Amino acid sequence: MKKSALQIARAAYRPQLPNVLDGPVKVKEGEPTVSAGDQEEIKKLFPNTYGLPEIVFEKAGTAAQSKPLNVGVILSGGQAPGGHNVISGLFDGIKAINKNSRLYGFLMGPGGLVDHNYKELTADIIDEYRNTGGFDIIGSGRTKLETKEQFDKGLEILRELEISALVIIGGDDSNTNAAILAEYYKAIGAGVQVIGVPKTIDGDLKNNVIETSFGFDTATKVYSEVIGNIQRDCNSAKKYWHFIKLMGRSASHIALECALQCQPNICIISEEVEAKDLTLDQVVDDIAQAVVARADQGLNYGVVLIPEGLIEFIPAVKRLIAELNDLLAAKAEEFAAVEPEAQRAWIISNLSKENAATYESLPAGVARQLSLDRDPHGNVQVSLIETEKLLSEMVGKRLATLAQEGKYKGKYAAMHHFFGYEGRCADPSNFDANYCYGLGYTAAMLIAAGVTGYMSSLRNLTFAPVNWVAGGIPITMMMNMERRHGHMKPVIRKALVELDGAPFLKFVKERENWKIGTCYTYPGPIQYFGPAEVCDQPSLTLVYEQKRRKY
Amino acid sequence: MKKSALQIARAAYRPQLPNVLDGPVKVKEGEPTVSAGDQEEIKKLFPNTYGLPEIVFEKAGTAAQSKPLNVGVILSGGQAPGGHNVISGLFDGIKAINKNSRLYGFLMGPGGLVDHNYKELTADIIDEYRNTGGFDIIGSGRTKLETKEQFDKGLEILRELEISALVIIGGDDSNTNAAILAEYYKAIGAGVQVIGVPKTIDGDLKNNVIETSFGFDTATKVYSEVIGNIQRDCNSAKKYWHFIKLMGRSASHIALECALQCQPNICIISEEVEAKDLTLDQVVDDIAQAVVARADQGLNYGVVLIPEGLIEFIPAVKRLIAELNDLLAAKAEEFAAVEPEAQRAWIISNLSKENAATYESLPAGVARQLSLDRDPHGNVQVSLIETEKLLSEMVGKRLATLAQEGKYKGKYAAMHHFFGYEGRCADPSNFDANYCYGLGYTAAMLIAAGVTGYMSSLRNLTFAPVNWVAGGIPITMMMNMERRHGHMKPVIRKALVELDGAPFLKFVKERENWKIGTCYTYPGPIQYFGPAEVCDQPSLTLVYEQKRRKY
């Protein structure tokens, strides 16, 4: 690998550990915990790992004599900046415990455990990846660890390598599966601990004990950099409306954070659209009204941020998609026989009145996508819909109508962008570099403490890393029962944007100013070497959330 | 404007001036120059500004007593990082000459001169924009200064404001027009000098006396940052081919520079495609062969860089577009009467055999775009074609055929990206911050020297800024006659990628390794505060070009 100048310089960065981890630690146990919901059912499903206490590490006077630890590590799901630092923190942690400890990486995600694909991660390999983005040290994958067969197959290789603990770095689903695996290995007396690490750029794995997931900070900073650049272009050329879609299908945290950073004219928050039961036409109307209001002041340009998952949050569209899925499954043969040009009419005549109206309101291209592009299960592929183009096109039509009515005299031209892959593998910001390294190091301490079914945890994140509180949270504490694929399952509750939360309220307070005024802020690229106020700031979401929590 | 932490910290950056400009200067004239081509015709068109000598500034012992200068400045065309620094360098330069000098910015491009829209740029305004991206200090626009009426209208406001020199910051066309304006004002004795500054992220305004245009360095660094991030994602997930289109319609310098920085699997260079007279099918075949070769080694992923202008460089497509433009103009009414579903057949039957074959080879969506989406002049809108999707779709079809023939057993899934607006208004890199400030300062010195029709010039750019050579180049020296819209016109010759140039040869030497090996480099974001090897490197294109030039 030919390294860039930045990579070489950045390799020397020493992540800051919490003070407490700088030397031997002892465990301080809190009170027994309960799950976030459905306590009885969760307790029944996790008899061996339910009700465990929260753990906080404290400084110990002298180091206990510790045996070497053989540990396995897995990267699960989509990439997030800082994954390599979790692994290097874990490596340094188990080496600090005993220099003969060994770390094995399972390759290309959880599938590597099941299929026995692994490699030992030695110091020279680890050193190549410190403070770098990507998951390429061992690769990642989306295989779900769910079945007893997988667990048993995995145990074979864990035993062969004498691995006594497995660290799973993943999102809410992967950590749910880590908890199930921990329970299973505990139940059968396998002698393998399982520790989870909270990862996802989407920011939807957090709760009152996990302040944020890693990667969110860096990814939103990369998106904010390019959004800021586009805003500056927009404000220089003064002739385009830029519609910018941002990754994140389940929650709008990314869009909200970027809005707080960049102050665009408009940012749509899916959770608000759902709560207000807005139709697609109403969302379009709101944007069109803003375009008109700006045009009235001679400002024929602007920036709109759109969360990737918007379309699935619009209740009317959600109902349409549900009925379409049922309809096209029930009458698949009949539909297949319909001539292409007659398909639209066929669908409208077969839908309920309300859903037919929603379908008719969609641009032809999108409507066609909904009925033709289907995944292997026969379901509509919502992720293929280019929401940014859908909205700008519908806004354009609405403006044409308003112009005919004499209510709009501006010019309207749109540009489209989608940012996702640009940020998932960026070199971690100082925040994520420190946070991830600390999470990995803490995972090592949890392993040494002999616990299982815990998630590595660092808290007090808006303070300097030396003051962070390190410990572990029983994963079952975050769980409740939810319907998934028709069955009730124990899962970690996904954190959506809270409409009474401090970040959203801050946005609501400012957004009318941003809409008409041009209040763009230009965050610029992530800096690694400059003054602290430039290099070390955590996300605004975290800052506002934690500020509120203190009072 | 709410400033970001980076903006505040970066405002304090002091661009490095060439040593020679650090104090009073005197002019050293070189030999009289001749134009790049068509000397007789250019000489006839520019009787007052042809054959001027190159100018180099040297240190002068004592400052001459100088009168205050009133100067106007215009930003012309697309945004490029560093425009604000040209203006702040110009401001500081004329203030250094006499502190009562004044700077006026004409608003929203050359149109501001014609329409008399301007504002005085005072120190407090200038200080808000130092080292920032964007052209928002006065805005930019695409009005072309071409007619005597415009020149005369402009002169009214220049006289009213007692402006004796106009600085036009623009690309090749804007500088061509600057030369014409300089000639006109000289011819009529208007008493207004005109100085050009070489701007364009495309990098196609350079020659043997102008080493690079400003903005290219920063824009390609931003694109390389996100391309690197995508490559790291690609190499972590190992399941997608990413097709990345990069801005730049006339030349492939941006794609080539990003390829040198990032080492993707494939980078298409339009100039090579044209020189080899490749068809679209051949371009597609080349990519498909690389996909197959990687799949044979189990690598079902990769990255392809595509210059925005590719489609217009493919000779067969160019011929098709030319005939389509003629055909649809000549038979507009007949075509308008053809039913939509019969249009394709109508077009094929009306085209020559060769062009019909090219048309048939295009995916239906693209073919439709070529025949339906037309600009106000009735021409095909090539820029609307999503070349990245066109290529990935055609590659997919080719692979399906190869799979049927048993020649391909891989998996193929593609992702698409287009980067342009993300980089045009980024905060300038140290290189561009210094280069632009120096260009602006040099423009002030050219004004003080009383010359007109010159382009501000800094040379020796791969050395430290203190060693840069400052001076002026007669714009006519870069001109030749070319056919534009059916007429022969004097223009600055556009610099395309030279297939015997050092940057391209370096790429050719490496590209076979990059294709099959995975040699991705991850440049990361532009750094402003770190070690010099991270913060102060010029583009590789410039480095390779200048290295060759020295020997």
Side-chain angles (χ1 to χ4, degrees):
Chain A
M1 173 163 60
K2 182 182 153 200
K3 291 186 182 170
S4 67
L6 176 61
Q7 260 178 292
I8 294 165
R10 183 68 176 160
Y13 179 73
R14 296 277 302 268
Q16 299 168 43
L17 265 187
N19 259 345
V20 67
L21 296 182
D22 191 11
V25 295
K26 62 182 181 193
V27 166
K28 185 187 162 198
E29 288 191 359
E31 297 296 305
T33 59
V34 295
S35 63
D38 311 298
Q39 283 89 2
E40 285 312 307
E41 284 143 295
I42 302 288
K43 186 175 182 178
K44 205 183 293 174
L45 289 164
F46 296 88
N48 296 286
T49 51
Y50 186 87
L52 298 170
E54 279 185 49
I55 282 176
V56 170
F57 290 114
E58 295 186 338
K59 275 192 175 296
T62 52
Q65 197 70 334
S66 298
K67 286 184 306 181
L69 296 168
N70 278 11
V71 172
V73 63
I74 295 174
L75 290 163
S76 180
Q79 280 70 248
H84 290 160
N85 269 28
V86 175
I87 294 176
S88 57
L90 175 61
F91 180 85
D92 291 351
I94 63 172
K95 289 288 187 185
I97 287 161
N98 186 305
K99 68 178 169 43
N100 294 317
S101 296
R102 301 176 86 160
L103 182 62
Y104 294 92
F106 290 97
L107 305 181
M108 299 312 293
L113 176 69
V114 179
D115 300 333
H116 300 189
N117 292 322
Y118 66 91
K119 74 170 168 195
E120 187 178 349
L121 296 171
T122 52
D124 53 335
I125 297 175
I126 294 287
D127 287 346
E128 289 291 291
Y129 290 89
R130 290 181 190 270
N131 310 313
T132 62
F135 279 7
D136 43 309
I137 188 170
I138 48 174
S140 184
R142 294 191 181 273
T143 302
K144 289 193 188 307
L145 285 183
E146 290 179 316
T147 69
K148 186 176 168 306
E149 291 67 35
Q150 291 174 315
F151 299 167
D152 291 338
K153 200 82 179 54
L155 191 54
E156 288 175 15
I157 187 69
L158 294 172
R159 287 203 163 128
E160 190 182 317
L161 298 172
E162 298 178 12
I163 287 174
S164 63
L166 190 61
V167 175
I168 297 178
I169 303 168
D172 52 340
D173 281 348
S174 303
N175 274 286
T176 291
N177 292 335
I180 295 169
L181 185 63
E183 172 66 26
Y184 179 77
Y185 283 167
K186 182 86 176 176
I188 66 169
V192 178
Q193 302 159 248
V194 181
I195 302 294
V197 176
K199 171 227 73 174
T200 163
I201 63 161
D202 293 350
D204 57 7
L205 171 48
K206 65 179 171 185
N207 45 54
N208 57 347
V209 287
I210 297 292
E211 296 181 0
T212 189
S213 54
F214 81 76
F216 176 76
D217 186 82
T218 307
T220 53
K221 284 186 163 99
V222 174
Y223 304 145
S224 295
E225 173 200 353
V226 288
I227 293 166
N229 288 353
I230 289 170
Q231 287 184 159
R232 195 128 209 179
D233 205 301
C234 180
N235 197 27
S236 299
K238 300 187 193 297
K239 62 179 177 179
Y240 293 119
W241 274 86
H242 291 269
F243 286 74
I244 305 175
K245 186 170 70 175
L246 295 165
M247 201 171 247
R249 275 182 65 189
S250 344
S252 303
H253 297 292
I254 289 179
L256 178 57
E257 172 68 21
C258 293
L260 293 169
Q261 293 285 353
C262 301
Q263 307 190 166
N265 303 101
I266 298 171
C267 174
I268 301 169
I269 302 297
S270 299
E271 290 85 344
E272 183 184 24
V273 169
E274 184 173 44
K276 291 185 173 170
D277 197 8
L278 297 183
T279 65
L280 185 55
D281 275 335
Q282 286 172 312
V283 172
V284 166
D285 254 16
D286 284 349
I287 301 173
Q289 286 308 329
V291 174
V292 171
R294 285 180 66 80
D296 286 346
Q297 304 195 22
L299 311 172
N300 289 300
Y301 60 94
V303 171
V304 185
L305 302 189
I306 304 157
E308 189 186 10
L310 172 65
I311 209 84
E312 295 170 85
F313 273 85
I314 296 175
V317 177
K318 206 192 283 184
R319 289 190 290 269
L320 165 64
I321 290 171
E323 190 179 351
L324 264 180
N325 279 339
D326 290 346
L327 169 66
L328 297 178
K331 301 193 176 178
E333 279 185 38
E334 186 182 332
F335 180 66
V338 178
E339 291 292 318
E341 58 269 32
Q343 284 173 346
R344 185 178 165 87
W346 184 91
I347 287 172
I348 291 169
S349 69
N350 275 276
L351 285 173
S352 66
K353 199 176 152 197
E354 187 215 341
N355 289 333
T358 304
Y359 188 85
E360 285 190 284
S361 78
L362 298 174
V366 175
R368 201 182 312 119
Q369 237 165 356
L370 279 182
S371 46
L372 288 184
D373 294 327
R374 322 184 52 77
D375 72 14
H377 309 290
N379 290 323
V380 166
Q381 287 195 273
V382 184
S383 66
L384 290 183
I385 297 175
E386 297 180 297
T387 320
E388 67 282 22
K389 292 186 184 166
L390 165 69
L391 286 180
S392 88
E393 190 179 325
M394 291 180 76
V395 167
K397 284 198 180 145
R398 184 85 191 102
L399 291 172
T401 308
L402 290 170
Q404 281 181 339
E405 296 168 357
K407 293 173 185 158
Y408 171 64
K409 295 190 174 62
K411 284 183 190 170
Y412 176 74
M415 291 282 171
H416 307 100
H417 316 266
F418 171 41
F419 298 124
Y421 294 94
E422 292 75 3
R424 307 196 320 174
C425 284
D427 292 332
S429 62
N430 283 355
F431 175 85
D432 269 329
N434 295 332
Y435 184 43
C436 291
Y437 185 81
L439 286 172
Y441 205 96
T442 301
M445 297 304 129
L446 290 168
I447 294 166
V451 300
T452 190
Y454 275 76
M455 191 180 285
S456 177
S457 151
L458 290 171
R459 294 163 74 171
N460 267 8
L461 296 175
T462 53
F463 295 86
V466 288
N467 299 318
W468 290 354
V469 175
I473 309 292
I475 302 179
T476 53
M477 185 184 171
M478 306 168 201
M479 296 175 102
N480 64 358
M481 301 297 293
E482 291 180 16
R483 181 170 296 278
R484 296 282 168 95
H485 302 296
H487 301 281
M488 290 306 285
K489 295 208 165 172
V491 298
I492 295 174
R493 194 184 274 171
K494 240 187 221 309
L496 302 183
V497 169
E498 292 175 9
L499 301 185
D500 58 354
F504 183 75
L505 292 177
K506 171 76 178 170
F507 166 67
V508 168
K509 196 177 146 199
E510 302 282 355
R511 67 178 163 186
E512 285 307 311
N513 295 333
W514 300 350
K515 194 174 283 181
I516 309 303
T518 303
C519 308
Y520 303 150
T521 307
Y522 313 117
I526 293 176
Q527 296 297 300
Y528 299 107
F529 305 99
E533 71 273 16
V534 175
C535 297
D536 295 339
Q537 297 308 311
S539 68
L540 289 176
T541 300
L542 189 64
V543 168
Y544 292 133
E545 281 176 352
Q546 297 306 314
K547 198 182 279 178
R548 188 195 51 171
R549 206 163 278 175
K550 281 195 330 204
Y551 299 117
Chain B
M1 176 162 58
K2 182 183 152 197
K3 290 186 181 168
S4 67
L6 175 62
Q7 259 178 293
I8 294 165
R10 183 69 176 158
Y13 179 74
R14 296 276 303 264
Q16 298 168 43
L17 266 187
N19 260 344
V20 67
L21 296 182
D22 191 13
V25 295
K26 62 183 179 193
V27 166
K28 185 187 162 197
E29 288 191 1
E31 297 296 304
T33 59
V34 296
S35 63
D38 311 298
Q39 282 88 1
E40 285 311 308
E41 284 143 295
I42 302 288
K43 187 175 182 177
K44 204 182 296 174
L45 289 165
F46 295 88
N48 297 286
T49 51
Y50 186 87
L52 299 171
E54 278 185 52
I55 283 176
V56 169
F57 289 114
E58 295 186 337
K59 276 192 173 295
T62 49
Q65 197 71 332
S66 297
K67 283 185 308 178
L69 295 169
N70 280 9
V71 173
V73 64
I74 295 173
L75 290 163
S76 180
Q79 278 71 245
H84 290 160
N85 269 28
V86 175
I87 293 177
S88 56
L90 175 62
F91 180 85
D92 291 351
I94 62 172
K95 289 289 185 182
I97 288 161
N98 185 306
K99 67 179 170 45
N100 294 318
S101 296
R102 301 175 86 161
L103 182 61
Y104 294 92
F106 290 97
L107 305 181
M108 300 311 295
L113 176 68
V114 180
D115 300 331
H116 300 190
N117 292 322
Y118 66 91
K119 72 171 170 196
E120 186 176 352
L121 296 171
T122 51
D124 52 335
I125 297 175
I126 293 287
D127 287 346
E128 288 292 291
Y129 290 89
R130 289 180 190 272
N131 309 312
T132 61
F135 279 8
D136 42 310
I137 187 171
I138 48 174
S140 184
R142 295 191 180 274
T143 302
K144 289 192 187 308
L145 285 182
E146 290 178 315
T147 67
K148 185 175 170 307
E149 290 67 33
Q150 291 173 315
F151 301 166
D152 291 337
K153 201 81 179 58
L155 191 54
E156 290 174 16
I157 187 69
L158 294 171
R159 287 203 163 131
E160 190 182 317
L161 298 172
E162 297 178 13
I163 288 174
S164 64
L166 191 61
V167 174
I168 297 178
I169 303 168
D172 52 340
D173 280 347
S174 303
N175 274 286
T176 291
N177 292 336
I180 295 170
L181 185 63
E183 173 65 27
Y184 179 76
Y185 283 166
K186 182 88 176 175
I188 65 168
V192 178
Q193 301 160 247
V194 182
I195 302 294
V197 176
K199 172 227 70 170
T200 162
I201 64 161
D202 294 351
D204 57 7
L205 171 48
K206 64 179 173 186
N207 45 55
N208 58 347
V209 286
I210 297 293
E211 296 181 0
T212 189
S213 55
F214 81 77
F216 176 76
D217 186 82
T218 306
T220 54
K221 284 186 164 94
V222 175
Y223 304 146
S224 296
E225 173 200 353
V226 288
I227 292 166
N229 288 353
I230 289 170
Q231 287 185 159
R232 195 126 210 181
D233 205 299
C234 180
N235 197 28
S236 300
K238 300 189 192 296
K239 62 179 177 180
Y240 293 119
W241 275 85
H242 290 268
F243 286 74
I244 304 175
K245 187 171 70 176
L246 295 165
M247 203 170 244
R249 277 183 64 189
S250 345
S252 303
H253 297 292
I254 289 179
L256 179 57
E257 171 68 20
C258 292
L260 294 169
Q261 293 285 353
C262 301
Q263 307 192 162
N265 303 100
I266 298 171
C267 174
I268 301 170
I269 302 297
S270 300
E271 290 85 344
E272 184 183 24
V273 169
E274 183 173 46
K276 292 185 173 170
D277 197 7
L278 298 183
T279 64
L280 185 54
D281 275 335
Q282 286 171 312
V283 173
V284 167
D285 254 16
D286 285 349
I287 302 173
Q289 287 306 330
V291 174
V292 170
R294 285 181 65 81
D296 286 346
Q297 304 195 25
L299 311 172
N300 290 299
Y301 60 93
V303 171
V304 185
L305 302 189
I306 304 157
E308 188 185 10
L310 172 64
I311 209 81
E312 294 170 87
F313 274 85
I314 297 175
V317 177
K318 207 192 283 184
R319 290 189 291 270
L320 166 63
I321 290 171
E323 190 180 351
L324 263 181
N325 280 338
D326 290 347
L327 169 66
L328 296 178
K331 300 192 177 180
E333 277 184 40
E334 186 183 332
F335 179 68
V338 178
E339 291 292 316
E341 59 268 35
Q343 285 173 347
R344 185 178 166 88
W346 184 91
I347 287 172
I348 291 170
S349 69
N350 276 275
L351 286 172
S352 66
K353 199 176 151 195
E354 187 216 342
N355 289 334
T358 304
Y359 189 84
E360 284 188 286
S361 77
L362 298 174
V366 175
R368 201 181 314 121
Q369 237 165 358
L370 279 182
S371 47
L372 288 185
D373 294 327
R374 325 190 44 80
D375 72 13
H377 309 289
N379 289 323
V380 166
Q381 285 196 274
V382 185
S383 65
L384 289 183
I385 296 175
E386 297 180 298
T387 320
E388 67 282 22
K389 292 186 184 167
L390 165 69
L391 286 181
S392 89
E393 189 180 328
M394 291 180 77
V395 167
K397 285 198 179 144
R398 185 87 191 101
L399 291 172
T401 308
L402 291 169
Q404 279 181 342
E405 296 167 359
K407 292 174 185 161
Y408 171 63
K409 293 187 174 63
K411 282 181 191 171
Y412 176 73
M415 290 284 171
H416 308 99
H417 315 267
F418 171 42
F419 298 124
Y421 294 93
E422 291 76 2
R424 308 196 318 174
C425 284
D427 292 332
S429 62
N430 282 355
F431 175 85
D432 269 328
N434 295 333
Y435 184 44
C436 290
Y437 185 82
L439 285 173
Y441 205 97
T442 302
M445 298 304 130
L446 289 167
I447 293 167
V451 300
T452 190
Y454 276 75
M455 191 181 286
S456 178
S457 152
L458 291 170
R459 294 163 75 169
N460 268 7
L461 296 176
T462 55
F463 295 86
V466 289
N467 299 318
W468 290 354
V469 175
I473 309 291
I475 301 177
T476 53
M477 183 185 173
M478 307 168 200
M479 295 176 104
N480 66 358
M481 301 297 291
E482 292 179 19
R483 181 171 297 277
R484 297 281 169 93
H485 303 294
H487 301 280
M488 291 306 286
K489 295 208 165 172
V491 298
I492 296 175
R493 195 182 273 171
K494 240 188 222 308
L496 301 184
V497 169
E498 291 176 9
L499 301 185
D500 58 354
F504 183 75
L505 293 177
K506 171 74 178 169
F507 166 67
V508 168
K509 197 177 146 200
E510 302 282 355
R511 67 177 163 187
E512 284 307 310
N513 295 334
W514 300 350
K515 194 175 283 181
I516 309 300
T518 303
C519 307
Y520 304 150
T521 306
Y522 313 117
I526 294 176
Q527 296 296 301
Y528 299 106
F529 305 99
E533 71 273 17
V534 176
C535 299
D536 295 338
Q537 298 308 311
S539 69
L540 289 175
T541 300
L542 189 65
V543 169
Y544 293 132
E545 280 176 354
Q546 296 308 314
K547 198 183 278 179
R548 187 194 53 171
R549 205 163 279 175
K550 281 193 334 203
Y551 299 115

